[in-house]
Amino acid sequence: MIDLNARPSRTHGQASAFKGCMGTSSSLGGDFSSVIADSQIPRSRFREKTTNPISMESVSTEPAITGDAIPDDGAVSSSLSRFRYNSPLVQVCLIGLVCFCCPGMFNALSGMGGGGQVDHDAANNANTALYTTFAVFGVLGGGIYNVLGPRLTLLSGCSTYVLYAGSFLYYNHHKHQPFVIFSGALLGVGAGLLWAGQGAIMTSYPPPGRKGTYISIFWSIFNLGGVVGGLIPFVLNYNRTQAASVNDGTYIAFMFFMAIGAILSLAILPPSRIVRSDGSRAAAVTYSSVSVEALEIIKLFANWKMLLIVPAAWGSNFFYSYQFNNVNGILFSLRTKGLNNVFYWGAQMIGSMAIGYMLDFSFRRRRTRGIVGIIIVAVLGTAVWAGGLANQLRYTDGLWPNKLDFKDSGSRYAGPFLLYFSYGLLDAMFQSLCYWVIGALADDSETLSRYSGFYKGVQSAGAAVAWQVDEHKTPLLTQLILNWALTTVSYPLLLVLVMLAVKDDNLTAADKDVEERKPEAKEKRTWMA
């Protein structure tokens, strides 16, 4: 074992050599400071030494531990595991599982068109009530999260999903809309709380240079809920090829998963307890007061960054009513709707992983990655909506008498299926991009919870309008053009936001190391000269 105490002092070059012999951050899974910071050795047993580059004298001080701090006894502990309970990865996976069970199953239920009912009126009215209250509590949700903390906020939100699924079980027997509408309105309150908490966790817990990767991990787990949820009606209604509402067992299965999600929400840790692999911590939040949060929320409506993201937020859920009711709901048989949803939400997993990788690893500069990401999504979005237009021109009156079935329709099924799959792919890429941009605007959980809440509030206001647009029998071609226009307008505004507000401060660990070495190399050359 090397006796580090044998050396009374060491130069900066020796410190670098020591770090080099201990291995790079990639080989240890984090830099040496994370090892020191989380070891069980008392802080008093470490010394940080700074070197005067002119006199080469070492001065011993005792501030916070840094990457050059060396334990006096020469002990070197292992790097922090990414799979600790208090690691960002585990916590993001947990919030992904919560959303797998609650909004993931809700998405599968909505994706069948009409909440699984032949008559879409009850679901349309419930969704209007849902997104109206969601718009209010989405904006308020960030402030509520900052007051209550993650566990109470998420538990309160998740519990409303169970009631919503149960209301359709009730409707299957009594055809009584008021209870379904009330459950939808209550779910809007709960969803506002859940998504504000989720947004804060997903954008503030991960390391700054890996937010796109963590967003894609969350999005994949969350949308796996839609995949499993799509299998439920597909399996339970497989032999029912004629138009009909889904059976009771479908709604009971959804309620079971949603209840598990509510219980899982209790496993989420607050930001103050999150330790990243490099030893840094997520920004601790001192839970605020109602008056402070109310004032901060009001300020959001005058925040130019939030105003630029309004069109993207408004349009990001606006297209669901069109895609679910008027593509999947009209064109396909009952069992095929469930199968289509398996692939729709599966496409979301692919889309989120692809855009997440690109936003984190494609270019060295974060702003460049954001600009290229917007361009990619804009090109894909234009192609997908153009395909949707070509398909919509085949049934401008909204009538499709011969329902397409995955077994019986042959090649006629392929085109509309591919379009619906592409809608799911685009949705995930578009929303993951929006979350990445929000996450790049700040690093602390307190601010990002408000930003995420604002995003979800505006998003839900748009969705509330969209479900009534469909309820009032707006021509389908008009709906498609409106959806296409909303997403198209958002791209240049997101570009402006990225260029003006996204900084290149949050480089990866490797990038920071390169940046830090540049002045050292220059100083060394000057000294040698």
Side-chain angles (χ1 to χ4, degrees):
M1 178 179 296
I2 300 173
D3 183 5
L4 299 178
N5 287 321
R7 297 186 178 184
S9 65
R10 54 190 173 85
T11 65
H12 186 87
Q14 289 170 321
S16 300
F18 178 84
K19 290 171 70 176
C21 74
M22 293 312 301
T24 63
S25 60
S26 61
S27 63
L28 288 177
D31 64 30
F32 190 63
S33 62
S34 67
V35 179
I36 301 293
D38 246 52
S39 67
Q40 301 302 315
I41 302 172
R43 183 177 291 267
S44 62
R45 297 177 64 186
F46 293 83
R47 290 195 308 272
E48 182 190 17
K49 300 187 177 181
T50 59
T51 303
N52 186 317
I54 304 299
S55 64
M56 303 299 289
E57 295 176 354
S58 298
V59 181
S60 178
T61 61
E62 282 195 23
I65 305 304
T66 68
D68 283 338
I70 304 297
D72 281 348
D73 60 2
V76 179
S77 60
S78 59
S79 62
L80 295 176
S81 170
R82 294 182 180 181
F83 302 102
R84 292 167 289 110
Y85 179 53
N86 66 338
S87 72
L89 178 61
V90 169
Q91 291 296 307
V92 167
C93 288
L94 280 173
I95 192 64
L97 287 172
V98 170
C99 291
F100 169 101
C101 292
C102 293
M105 293 298 155
F106 167 82
N107 284 344
L109 182 60
S110 299
M112 293 184 294
Q117 299 290 318
V118 174
D119 184 357
H120 294 177
D121 288 346
N124 283 350
N125 291 328
N127 281 322
T128 300
L130 188 163
Y131 287 107
T132 300
T133 54
F134 195 169
V136 176
F137 281 87
V139 175
L140 298 178
I144 295 172
Y145 172 86
N146 289 340
V147 173
L148 298 181
R151 285 173 175 165
L152 283 177
T153 304
L154 295 173
L155 179 63
S156 301
C158 290
S159 59
T160 60
Y161 283 84
V162 184
L163 180 65
Y164 180 78
S167 70
F168 279 97
L169 177 62
Y170 170 85
Y171 188 80
N172 243 7
H173 297 275
H174 301 286
K175 305 301 178 185
H176 191 227
Q177 278 200 38
F179 179 51
V180 181
I181 295 172
F182 169 78
S183 299
L186 191 60
L187 176 57
V189 176
L193 301 181
L194 172 60
W195 283 103
Q198 171 271 339
I201 291 167
M202 189 176 65
T203 54
S204 67
Y205 285 16
R210 292 292 177 266
K211 290 188 178 184
T213 302
Y214 279 76
I215 289 171
S216 67
I217 290 171
F218 163 82
W219 213 260
S220 297
I221 297 172
F222 157 50
N223 284 306
L224 185 60
V227 173
V228 175
L231 287 172
I232 292 172
F234 174 67
V235 172
L236 296 180
N237 299 275
Y238 183 81
N239 294 319
R240 304 171 72 199
T241 56
Q242 299 301 316
S245 299
V246 299
N247 57 22
D248 290 355
T250 303
Y251 295 119
I252 292 171
F254 284 138
M255 292 172 67
F256 173 76
F257 277 102
M258 291 171 176
I260 292 176
I263 296 170
L264 278 175
S265 67
L266 297 173
I268 301 297
L269 294 176
S272 60
R273 295 181 60 185
I274 303 303
V275 182
R276 296 167 179 150
S277 296
D278 63 358
S280 64
R281 292 178 178 269
V285 174
T286 302
Y287 293 123
S288 185
S289 66
V290 174
S291 59
V292 169
E293 288 303 325
L295 179 62
E296 292 299 323
I297 289 170
I298 292 172
K299 289 180 180 178
L300 292 175
F301 291 90
N303 186 323
W304 65 272
K305 299 174 186 177
M306 294 296 97
L307 295 179
L308 283 175
I309 212 168
V310 163
W314 184 275
S316 59
N317 271 12
F318 200 90
F319 45 69
Y320 279 161
S321 61
Y322 171 78
Q323 293 175 1
F324 294 162
N325 285 359
N326 302 316
V327 179
N328 200 34
I330 288 179
L331 301 184
F332 304 99
S333 66
L334 177 62
R335 65 182 183 182
T336 305
K337 293 176 190 177
L339 180 65
N340 288 348
N341 276 333
V342 171
F343 287 95
Y344 181 92
W345 302 112
Q348 298 234 357
M349 297 169 65
I350 297 171
S352 63
M353 288 188 289
I355 195 68
Y357 183 87
M358 199 288 306
L359 289 170
D360 274 354
F361 300 106
S362 58
F363 296 93
R364 183 167 170 270
R365 293 294 179 182
R366 184 169 64 171
R367 185 183 294 145
T368 304
R369 297 196 298 267
I371 292 171
V372 173
I374 294 169
I375 293 172
I376 290 173
V377 174
V379 171
L380 177 65
T382 302
V384 171
W385 284 112
L389 175 62
N391 182 71
Q392 185 57 70
L393 292 175
R394 301 164 64 192
Y395 63 110
T396 53
D397 56 0
L399 300 177
W400 191 280
N402 298 319
K403 302 293 183 184
L404 298 172
D405 187 80
F406 77 100
K407 286 186 67 177
D408 302 333
S409 299
S411 59
R412 292 192 303 119
Y413 170 69
F417 165 78
L418 181 60
L419 173 65
Y420 194 63
F421 178 90
S422 300
Y423 279 146
L425 188 75
L426 176 63
D427 178 26
M429 296 182 72
F430 185 78
Q431 294 208 54
S432 295
L433 175 67
C434 290
Y435 271 113
W436 182 89
V437 172
I438 291 172
L441 299 178
D443 286 324
D444 63 287
S445 177
E446 195 170 12
T447 301
L448 288 173
S449 66
R450 298 184 191 118
Y451 284 0
S452 299
F454 181 88
Y455 173 79
K456 294 303 293 187
V458 175
Q459 181 187 69
S460 303
V465 173
W467 288 103
Q468 279 304 298
V469 166
D470 185 61
E471 177 65 15
H472 284 79
K473 314 302 180 186
T474 303
L476 302 189
L477 188 59
T478 302
Q479 291 190 40
L480 181 141
I481 293 173
L482 186 58
N483 285 314
W484 192 354
L486 279 171
T487 53
T488 302
V489 166
S490 68
Y491 299 131
L493 298 180
L494 287 175
L495 273 174
V496 173
L497 181 58
V498 168
M499 288 189 289
L500 296 182
V502 174
K503 307 300 182 185
D504 287 325
D505 300 322
N506 295 337
L507 303 175
T508 64
D511 291 338
K512 286 183 177 179
D513 188 57
V514 171
E515 293 295 319
E516 289 170 357
R517 289 177 184 272
K518 284 181 180 179
E520 295 174 11
K522 182 178 180 181
E523 184 179 13
K524 183 177 180 181
R525 288 194 300 269
T526 303
W527 181 81
M528 292 178 67

